[in-house]
Amino acid sequence: MLNYTSSITENKNYADLIINEISPIMKLNLRGKKKEFLPTVEKTLNMILPTEPNTSSSSEKLTAIWLSPDEWMIFSNNIAEKNNNNYEIEEILYNNISKKSFGSVANITDQFVMINLNGTKIFELFSFGTPFDFSEFKEKKGSTAQTILNHIDVIIHHKSNNNVNLFVRRSFSEHLWSWINDCASRL
Amino acid sequence: MLTQEDIYDSYCLAQKDYIKKYKSKHWENEYDNRAVEFVAESLPDFRNNSLADGLNRSRDTKEEFIKNHFESLIQELGREFVYSNLETLNVGNNKNFLKIENTEYDNLKIECPSDNVKKNIWLLPSDKVIGKTKPFVDFQNDATAKDIQLALREGFRSIEHVKRYTTTGMGTDQGKLGNMHALGIVADTAGVKMGELGTTTFRPPYTPLTFGTIVGRNVGEFFDIFRKTPIHEWHEKNHAEFENVGQWKRAWYYPINNETMEEAVQRESKAARESAGILDASTLGKIDIQGTDASEFLNRVYTNAWSKLGIGKCRYGLMLNEDGMLYDDGVTTRLDENHYIMTTTTGGAANVMSKLEDFLQTEWPELDVFLTSITDHFATVSVCGPNSRKILNKIIPNLDLSDENFPHMSCKHAHIGKIKCRVMRISFTGEHSYEINIQANYGKSVWEKCMEAGKEFNITPYGTEAMHLLRAEKGFIITGQDTDGTMTPIDLQMDWIVSKKKYDFIGKRSLYRSDTIRKDRKQLVGLITEDPKEVLEEGAQIVSEVNKKPVEMVGHVTSSYYSPNLNKSIALAVVKSGKQMMGQKLFVPMENKTINVTVTDSVFFDKENKRLNA
């Protein structure tokens, strides 16, 4: 039996800001541009993939983030089990997409760490280290952005009002977490 | 009733420029020029405010307002009174108006040059020729006054051109520190007034900022970004020393009982060969490649052939630049008919990914291939040594590890408990080795399991330094250490990996250039020192004749170690015509001595590769 060790092990509460890692969350990278790709994915997942840049779509179980004209990230809305890494959706998608050469399906569950930020000071915190203009972003639920925060590539997903998911590569996550907390303490 | 103060105000409003204008156009025939000039020259304009308010409220233009006001004064008070008051309101009599008597400034003596012409000095004079000085103007881009003067000599007159030619004002301060000086120097040099030059486009920051605002929190521990492997915490707890590789912190060596680095590396290297060693290889870049043209894609980016690689098999590949020089290397595994996983060097991962994606989008858009970076998704635990099979068998007992089922350069899907993983039998040390690739969040646990299982075999964690030593014993290259962007596969004596049958691959054409087929190019060879305990310095130059003047350098040392497994010093070097110099004596002149070396084959240890299947 293997132990599960996430890179961030603590939750942090600040005035008007709560930060914590949510794990394990299954994450998949989907790529494809053949005409069969979108219908097959949408039928398999029972949800529509966003085709408008920097937007997302959600179903009861999954959320899909637009990454590029032929690339999406799918992640589960619910926490997965820690004692196994069998993801049924991954297997079905791999068989329906990769095996049939409609596109590619890659498991990136631990490629990204998902940090949830909740509170009214989120965008003030981001302003410490990102050049991105969030004025439109924060008005629109479901909007997404691929930008840099403290020089680190991140994907930001506007989950709901004053609630944001931040995806960062695992190897950078500890450093970024430390930076976020340093900035949050100065808000 | 208008007071004397109102009259004063009305004159004050008539500033010099306006009055000159009216004098020439409107007032010449109507009013006394003498009065106008008097107003223009003698009255200070600091009392404009009260009439300025009136002007703001008025619908008249400024000219009309002044004229009307002046006329109303004359009508009300009479021309004579107005003009007589003008006479009394000269500078000397301001004290009467302001009701100030005997100020302390009356006897103040101001010393100034006789020619009291004001002049800004943008470039301080020097007793040296400007070419010999460095009068910096832009502190961020190191643009100097002489650069600006050169720009003008080169014919750039527009300030925008001077800016682009010299990069003055193009730093993050956008010229807030140096642009005024730059404009002044341009104006002085071009012999024009500053105002005639215009300014460069005004960009933020519009107001002065502190450096802290620009730098942000990138200080102290946040000065530089670092990446950690999933097993980093274990390394820290076990007193590893770390080295920076790209942005990664990699375990360098694990000193025990105050060992020096050299002692630790010798111990780790010996243990890996004699029993078992374990290395955190999570930092290697990993790219998931899928698509019907995946094999063709690999054929184009690597020098060797990929179409016939069996599913579940691994192959080493060299990636070249368009100039034919080695760019990156790594092992790629075929997971399925149209599915590969490529590994890259740690430092080259991002560049390789970017380069491959660039080729796919711009050069080969017809290929049905998709790339996904999965470097961080996997932790990689490499177990090597004669007892590695026994250790792996304890961790994954249901995996058949026999050479028949699981030969060198192959891959198996497995489970550790309920966790899926991939195990590859590949080796960078020349030993019988396994690399376990598992989802990153289980990586630390797998490492600990390996340590537990390997305890009876004295499994020894080894860092990057011992890894470098072990691979050098086998003559395996490290891109960036034994290569420097000028080495072709043929220079590296790796002709065997360059396909002669393939139609094309990146860099193929360049391998046939006259320069790249020269026989006297620097080529990778091994060096053995005459004194086996003498370890050469990496980077040391190599000569063929000691007393020749000027010194003719024939190459340099790229990797050098004392091998505990061979009990002698070994080195890899690049030497001109090295392939033809086997057995030849060369010299490495150092500060206090000259070291005698012999050119040898670059493989020092287990030339028959017997240990891979030991």
Side-chain angles (χ1 to χ4, degrees), chain A residues 1-7 21 23-24 27 29 31-34 70-71 81-87 90-91 94 97-99 101-113 128 149-152 169-172 174-175 178-180 182-183 186, chain B residues 215-218 221-233 247-248 288 290-292 335-336 338-339 353 357 361 365 367-378 415-421 438-446 448-449:
Chain A
M1 183 73 178
L2 294 176
N3 297 322
Y4 182 91
T5 314
S6 55
S7 65
E21 188 203 345
S23 67
K27 304 172 201 89
N29 179 284
R31 298 200 68 179
K33 47 192 170 190
K34 288 185 180 168
D70 63 4
E71 187 172 8
E81 288 179 36
K82 288 182 180 175
N83 63 1
N84 76 70
N85 60 348
N86 293 318
Y87 307 115
E90 180 201 359
E91 201 176 322
Y94 190 80
I97 302 293
S98 296
K99 287 270 188 187
S101 300
F102 294 156
S104 92
V105 177
N107 187 345
I108 52 166
T109 296
D110 283 356
Q111 171 85 355
F112 289 101
V113 167
F128 277 92
L149 185 59
N150 185 33
H151 307 285
I152 297 169
R169 281 184 175 78
R170 193 189 191 283
S171 56
F172 289 107
E174 218 173 305
H175 183 78
S178 166
W179 181 87
I180 285 174
D182 177 72
C183 292
R186 287 157 195 277
Chain B
V215 174
R217 288 291 299 153
N218 300 342
E221 63 175 305
F222 304 113
F223 180 71
D224 201 9
I225 298 165
F226 55 82
R227 304 174 75 175
K228 288 181 178 177
T229 76
I231 310 162
H232 187 91
E233 194 186 339
Q247 290 173 310
W248 292 92
D288 184 275
Q290 294 185 42
T292 50
L335 298 173
D336 209 337
N338 297 321
H339 190 183
M353 179 75 185
E357 191 67 59
Q361 291 186 25
L367 291 188
D368 176 34
V369 176
F370 295 103
L371 309 176
T372 308
S373 169
I374 49 168
T375 301
D376 290 40
H377 178 63
F378 288 106
H415 280 82
I416 302 177
K418 288 183 178 177
I419 309 301
K420 286 188 292 187
C421 64
I438 195 156
Q439 217 170 294
N441 283 343
Y442 302 98
K444 182 165 167 266
S445 188
V446 168
E448 287 164 346
K449 266 200 171 307

Side-chain angles (χ1 to χ4, degrees), chain B residues 7-20:
Chain B
I7 299 167
Y8 183 83
D9 279 336
S10 71
Y11 304 147
C12 290
L13 186 65
Q15 288 180 43
K16 192 172 183 178
D17 288 341
Y18 284 110
I19 289 173
K20 279 186 178 171

Side-chain angles (χ1 to χ4, degrees), chain B residues 211-464:
Chain B
F211 281 112
T213 310
I214 297 168
V215 174
R217 288 291 299 153
N218 300 342
V219 293
E221 63 175 305
F222 304 113
F223 180 71
D224 201 9
I225 298 165
F226 55 82
R227 304 174 75 175
K228 288 181 178 177
T229 76
I231 310 162
H232 187 91
E233 194 186 339
W234 189 95
H235 304 319
E236 271 183 338
K237 273 187 186 165
N238 287 273
H239 316 295
E241 292 290 331
F242 291 91
E243 75 166 331
N244 296 326
V245 184
Q247 290 173 310
W248 292 92
K249 296 280 178 197
R250 291 199 74 176
W252 195 7
Y253 59 97
Y254 302 80
I256 301 173
N257 301 330
N258 297 322
E259 276 178 323
T260 62
M261 174 172 156
E262 193 187 356
E263 288 164 348
V265 169
Q266 295 287 307
R267 171 182 54 76
E268 290 168 16
S269 308
K270 212 164 166 50
R273 293 249 186 258
E274 288 179 352
S275 181
I278 182 168
L279 173 83
D280 180 1
S282 307
T283 60
L284 290 176
K286 303 165 204 79
I287 300 171
D288 184 275
I289 303 171
Q290 294 185 42
T292 50
D293 295 320
S295 301
E296 172 59 18
F297 175 71
L298 291 172
N299 278 334
R300 295 187 191 185
V301 298
Y302 279 131
T303 58
N304 48 348
W306 291 83
S307 304
K308 291 181 182 172
L309 181 70
I311 293 171
K313 300 291 179 194
C314 313
R315 185 167 287 171
Y316 175 73
L318 287 187
M319 197 180 290
L320 309 184
N321 255 332
E322 290 92 328
D323 59 8
M325 305 304 160
L326 185 65
Y327 183 69
D328 204 81
D329 65 343
V331 171
T332 297
T333 305
R334 191 170 199 167
L335 298 173
D336 209 337
E337 180 64 26
N338 297 321
H339 190 183
Y340 292 84
I341 183 166
M342 170 191 282
T343 56
T344 71
T345 56
T346 298
N351 290 336
V352 169
M353 179 75 185
S354 174
K355 180 189 166 92
L356 297 185
E357 191 67 59
D358 185 40
F359 265 91
L360 273 178
Q361 291 186 25
T362 60
E363 303 294 328
W364 310 319
E366 75 282 4
L367 291 188
D368 176 34
V369 176
F370 295 103
L371 309 176
T372 308
S373 169
I374 49 168
T375 301
D376 290 40
H377 178 63
F378 288 106
T380 304
V381 177
S382 175
V383 182
C384 78
N387 288 315
S388 58
R389 195 197 312 247
K390 291 174 191 162
I391 294 166
L392 203 74
N393 192 42
K394 287 172 78 173
I395 297 166
I396 318 176
N398 52 0
L399 181 62
D400 180 359
L401 298 175
S402 65
D403 288 340
E404 296 73 35
N405 181 61
F406 197 178
H408 181 59
M409 296 304 269
S410 62
C411 169
K412 294 285 176 196
H413 296 277
H415 280 82
I416 302 177
K418 288 183 178 177
I419 309 301
K420 286 188 292 187
C421 64
R422 291 177 191 142
V423 185
M424 290 156 190
R425 196 174 152 192
I426 50 182
S427 175
F428 193 43
T429 59
E431 293 297 317
H432 189 121
S433 299
Y434 299 94
E435 279 191 4
I436 305 168
N437 283 274
I438 195 156
Q439 217 170 294
N441 283 343
Y442 302 98
K444 182 165 167 266
S445 188
V446 168
W447 177 280
E448 287 164 346
K449 266 200 171 307
C450 289
M451 290 300 296
E452 183 64 32
K455 203 178 269 180
E456 62 175 300
F457 305 106
N458 187 31
I459 190 168
T460 303
Y462 64 97
T464 50

